[in-house]
Amino acid sequence: MREAEARAVLTNGYTARMEQPTGSAAPTARARARAELTEEIKACASRHLAEQGAAGLSLRAVARELGMASSAVYRYFPSRDELLTALIIDAYDAVGEVAEAAATGKGTMVKRFTAVAMAIRAWAVAHPHDYALVYGTPVPGYAAPRDTASPAARVSLAALQVVADGAAAGEVDVSVRRPMPIPKATRSDMARLRVAASIDLPDEVLLRVLLAWTTVFGTISFELFGHLHTVVEDYEAFFRHQVGRAALHVAGG
Amino acid sequence: MREAEARAVLTNGYTARMEQPTGSAAPTARARARAELTEEIKACASRHLAEQGAAGLSLRAVARELGMASSAVYRYFPSRDELLTALIIDAYDAVGEVAEAAATGKGTMVKRFTAVAMAIRAWAVAHPHDYALVYGTPVPGYAAPRDTASPAARVSLAALQVVADGAAAGEVDVSVRRPMPIPKATRSDMARLRVAASIDLPDEVLLRVLLAWTTVFGTISFELFGHLHTVVEDYEAFFRHQVGRAALHVAGG
DNA sequence: ATCGAACAGAGAGCACTGCTCTCGAAAGGA
DNA sequence: TCCTTTCGAGAGCAGTGCTCTCTGTTCGAT
């Protein structure tokens, strides 16, 4: 029994302990209560995270605020890191959602790309600790990669889609004035990316997008982590301008 | 007495407690021992940091390894965060040093800029936890800004100098094909930067450098923090290529 | 409806952390 | 020599993550 339980936790995480609705929608009262309390714990932890950051997130503190014993929380999350992982997934989904919403807008590729970047930054500024949790220093060794992989991809795919649309509309200049030789390894990296993202863009354009992408997150990280403290005063104006540059570069400018 | 001591700690930090050599170089045995032990603590803490990261750095653990009581360490560093701040300053100096060394090389601006970026990345890959400490999520609220400001600037100034040299040699195209209107706030930001860095480059070029700069650190952070995990296999080739693109962009390409 | 198994909560406890306080020993300058 | 400052050690406090054990409840199958 104990071994089976341990294995379940190892393979499927805490969700494995939730009783699945048995075909016909009949969630037992206990399962409902469990799902609710799980959400409540996550919500409370998210609040604590927003206030004090990941380092200050204490399982005992959320248990106290929820009026339960600290040991009871372990029925829902097997460890503090698992709780953090759940919050990471939520954060990925949140930023992915705002990016996708911004990507659906109309206009030129440069405009849409800028809109996506601005949306990401706005989310990051509004939720700095969530941003840090996701795009800052990884928490322990690092968080579970499998569970976070697909939510993490959403935000990037949104941007790639914008560029793919722009390329289809002829807004992307594929001719290179001064071609840089692309290393063989990087070529195969891009080939793999094309398959994984199901997006047909030439190496040249993909690399331009990645350049712009690292600029977006590099600039946001610099802003939030204080590396532009003595340089920039109006962060939003600076960011919009730089993202515009990056988007023009993607278009081939 | 107590109040005076507290004020000294608040204003000057732990260094205020070190006895200054009284004019003529006569460091007492105690002062020497103190300086040595301070370095020893820092070195030991740095080792722990390299192994387990900032989160796993325990004052008690370094005290144990040094064979002293944990309370004795507080004679040298008033808190764990101050110890971390000392490590942050050392890390800034370390990365600044390798960047400056790389910047002294000869060749075109693109070559030198790439060399600086490659040196930074090599340092980051060799000391990932130090990099995370400096360019990742800020540790508590945040570290002392005054003490870290000037070491932090070294690495950026090295890159700016490379570009300034390139501009002096006529390697930077100042004419803009498709000029992007620069916001007034950003214009004054750049004006301030010109004064602070004592480097005379037009807004256009400074903004290009900042774009490349955020690309450099954005790419390194993406690599070290696992955001390119499923995309790139040969990180060094990818980085070199992207930095080359960024450097060409700085040159006006 | 009953019974055994699974589950949920609470409490005690372990090992660890940062940090403070107090005390005695050592070193420094007068 | 004496007196102040410094230093190291130990005990102790409040807090942490996590485990274990014990009780009461709920669930599903008989």
Side-chain angles (χ1 to χ4, degrees), chain B residues 86-191:
Chain B
L87 294 182
I88 289 175
I89 294 175
D90 281 6
Y92 269 126
D93 273 324
V95 67
E97 196 171 311
V98 301
E100 284 169 6
T104 60
K106 289 293 165 192
T108 67
M109 187 207 75
V110 170
K111 258 202 150 56
R112 287 176 66 199
F113 188 92
T114 303
V116 171
M118 294 292 292
I120 295 172
R121 178 185 169 275
W123 178 86
V125 170
H127 310 87
H129 287 117
D130 294 69
Y131 178 87
L133 193 62
V134 166
Y135 293 104
T137 312
V139 206
Y142 55 89
R146 286 284 164 261
D147 300 336
T148 59
S150 76
R154 287 179 62 182
V155 61
S156 302
L157 289 182
L160 269 178
Q161 191 56 55
V162 166
V163 176
D165 292 351
E171 297 184 63
V172 176
D173 182 11
V174 184
S175 73
V176 197
R177 262 185 322 286
R178 263 191 286 178
M180 277 192 64
I182 303 174
K184 184 180 276 183
T186 304
R187 275 174 142 30
S188 68
D189 286 341
M190 294 306 107

Side-chain angles (χ1 to χ4, degrees), chain A residues 45-123:
Chain A
S46 181
R47 258 178 286 132
H48 285 203
L49 177 76
E51 284 168 13
Q52 305 160 1
L57 189 141
S58 153
L59 241 153
R60 289 180 111 111
V62 317
R64 224 173 301 143
E65 185 171 323
L66 263 46
M68 61 200 298
S70 65
S71 55
V73 179
Y74 285 84
R75 300 280 181 198
Y76 298 85
F77 295 92
S79 77
R80 196 194 91 118
D81 283 351
E82 290 283 345
L83 215 193
L84 269 180
T85 301
L87 294 181
I88 290 175
I89 293 175
D90 281 6
Y92 269 125
D93 273 324
V95 66
E97 194 171 313
V98 302
E100 284 170 6
T104 60
K106 288 293 165 193
T108 66
M109 186 206 76
V110 170
K111 258 203 152 58
R112 287 176 66 199
F113 188 91
T114 304
V116 170
M118 294 293 292
I120 295 171
R121 178 185 168 276
W123 178 85

Side-chain angles (χ1 to χ4, degrees), chain B residues 28-30 57-60 64 70-71 74-75 79-80:
Chain B
T28 75
R30 190 188 262 167
L57 187 137
S58 152
L59 242 152
R60 290 179 113 112
R64 225 173 300 144
S70 64
S71 56
Y74 285 85
R75 300 281 182 199
S79 75
R80 197 194 89 120

Side-chain angles (χ1 to χ4, degrees), chain B residues 32-252:
Chain B
R32 273 189 52 88
R34 178 178 186 83
E36 272 179 28
L37 196 41
T38 302
E39 279 311 306
E40 222 168 310
I41 292 172
K42 255 171 49 177
C44 182
S46 181
R47 258 178 285 132
H48 284 205
L49 177 76
E51 285 168 12
Q52 305 160 0
L57 187 137
S58 152
L59 242 152
R60 290 179 113 112
V62 317
R64 225 173 300 144
E65 185 171 323
L66 263 47
M68 61 201 296
S70 64
S71 56
V73 180
Y74 285 85
R75 300 281 182 199
Y76 299 85
F77 296 92
S79 75
R80 197 194 89 120
D81 284 351
E82 289 283 347
L83 214 193
L84 268 180
T85 301
L87 294 182
I88 289 175
I89 294 175
D90 281 6
Y92 269 126
D93 273 324
V95 67
E97 196 171 311
V98 301
E100 284 169 6
T104 60
K106 289 293 165 192
T108 67
M109 187 207 75
V110 170
K111 258 202 150 56
R112 287 176 66 199
F113 188 92
T114 303
V116 171
M118 294 292 292
I120 295 172
R121 178 185 169 275
W123 178 86
V125 170
H127 310 87
H129 287 117
D130 294 69
Y131 178 87
L133 193 62
V134 166
Y135 293 104
T137 312
V139 206
Y142 55 89
R146 286 284 164 261
D147 300 336
T148 59
S150 76
R154 287 179 62 182
V155 61
S156 302
L157 289 182
L160 269 178
Q161 191 56 55
V162 166
V163 176
D165 292 351
E171 297 184 63
V172 176
D173 182 11
V174 184
S175 73
V176 197
R177 262 185 322 286
R178 263 191 286 178
M180 277 192 64
I182 303 174
K184 184 180 276 183
T186 304
R187 275 174 142 30
S188 68
D189 286 341
M190 294 306 107
R192 203 158 5 89
L193 176 57
R194 257 190 299 274
V195 174
S198 304
I199 283 188
D200 198 31
L201 288 170
D203 292 354
E204 171 68 23
V205 177
L206 282 180
L207 287 166
R208 283 193 221 140
V209 176
L210 280 167
L211 186 77
W213 209 229
T214 51
T215 301
V216 167
F217 286 93
T219 306
I220 295 177
S221 292
F222 266 18
E223 171 182 348
L224 289 188
F225 298 163
H227 293 281
L228 295 176
H229 185 48
T230 56
V231 180
V232 174
E233 278 192 346
D234 189 335
Y235 288 111
E236 184 172 333
F238 175 77
F239 182 80
R240 169 173 269 125
H241 182 77
Q242 293 292 79
V243 165
R245 283 177 181 274
L248 276 182
H249 179 259
V250 171

Side-chain angles (χ1 to χ4, degrees), chain A:
Chain A
M1 269 315 127
R2 180 132 313 207
E3 283 179 9
E5 186 190 36
R7 194 172 310 115
V9 169
L10 279 176
T11 53
N12 296 337
Y14 52 89
T15 54
R17 285 173 153 183
M18 280 184 61
E19 289 138 31
Q20 306 291 341
T22 55
S24 54
T28 74
R30 181 137 80 188
R32 274 188 52 87
R34 180 179 183 82
E36 272 179 29
L37 195 42
T38 303
E39 278 312 306
E40 222 170 309
I41 292 172
K42 255 171 50 175
C44 181
S46 181
R47 258 178 286 132
H48 285 203
L49 177 76
E51 284 168 13
Q52 305 160 1
L57 189 141
S58 153
L59 241 153
R60 289 180 111 111
V62 317
R64 224 173 301 143
E65 185 171 323
L66 263 46
M68 61 200 298
S70 65
S71 55
V73 179
Y74 285 84
R75 300 280 181 198
Y76 298 85
F77 295 92
S79 77
R80 196 194 91 118
D81 283 351
E82 290 283 345
L83 215 193
L84 269 180
T85 301
L87 294 181
I88 290 175
I89 293 175
D90 281 6
Y92 269 125
D93 273 324
V95 66
E97 194 171 313
V98 302
E100 284 170 6
T104 60
K106 288 293 165 193
T108 66
M109 186 206 76
V110 170
K111 258 203 152 58
R112 287 176 66 199
F113 188 91
T114 304
V116 170
M118 294 293 292
I120 295 171
R121 178 185 168 276
W123 178 85
V125 170
H127 309 87
H129 287 118
D130 295 68
Y131 178 87
L133 192 62
V134 166
Y135 293 103
T137 312
V139 207
Y142 56 88
R146 286 284 164 262
D147 300 336
T148 60
S150 77
R154 286 180 62 180
V155 61
S156 301
L157 288 182
L160 269 179
Q161 191 56 55
V162 167
V163 177
D165 292 350
E171 297 182 64
V172 176
D173 183 10
V174 183
S175 74
V176 197
R177 262 184 323 289
R178 263 191 286 177
M180 277 191 65
I182 303 174
K184 184 181 277 181
T186 304
R187 275 175 143 30
S188 67
D189 286 341
M190 294 306 107
R192 201 157 7 89
L193 177 56
R194 257 190 299 273
V195 174
S198 303
I199 283 188
D200 199 30
L201 289 170
D203 291 354
E204 172 68 23
V205 177
L206 282 180
L207 287 167
R208 283 193 220 141
V209 177
L210 279 168
L211 186 79
W213 208 229
T214 51
T215 302
V216 167
F217 286 93
T219 306
I220 295 177
S221 291
F222 265 19
E223 171 181 348
L224 290 188
F225 298 163
H227 294 280
L228 296 176
H229 184 49
T230 57
V231 180
V232 173
E233 279 190 348
D234 188 336
Y235 287 111
E236 184 172 335
F238 175 76
F239 182 79
R240 168 174 269 123
H241 183 77
Q242 293 292 80
V243 165
R245 282 178 181 275
L248 276 182
H249 180 260
V250 171

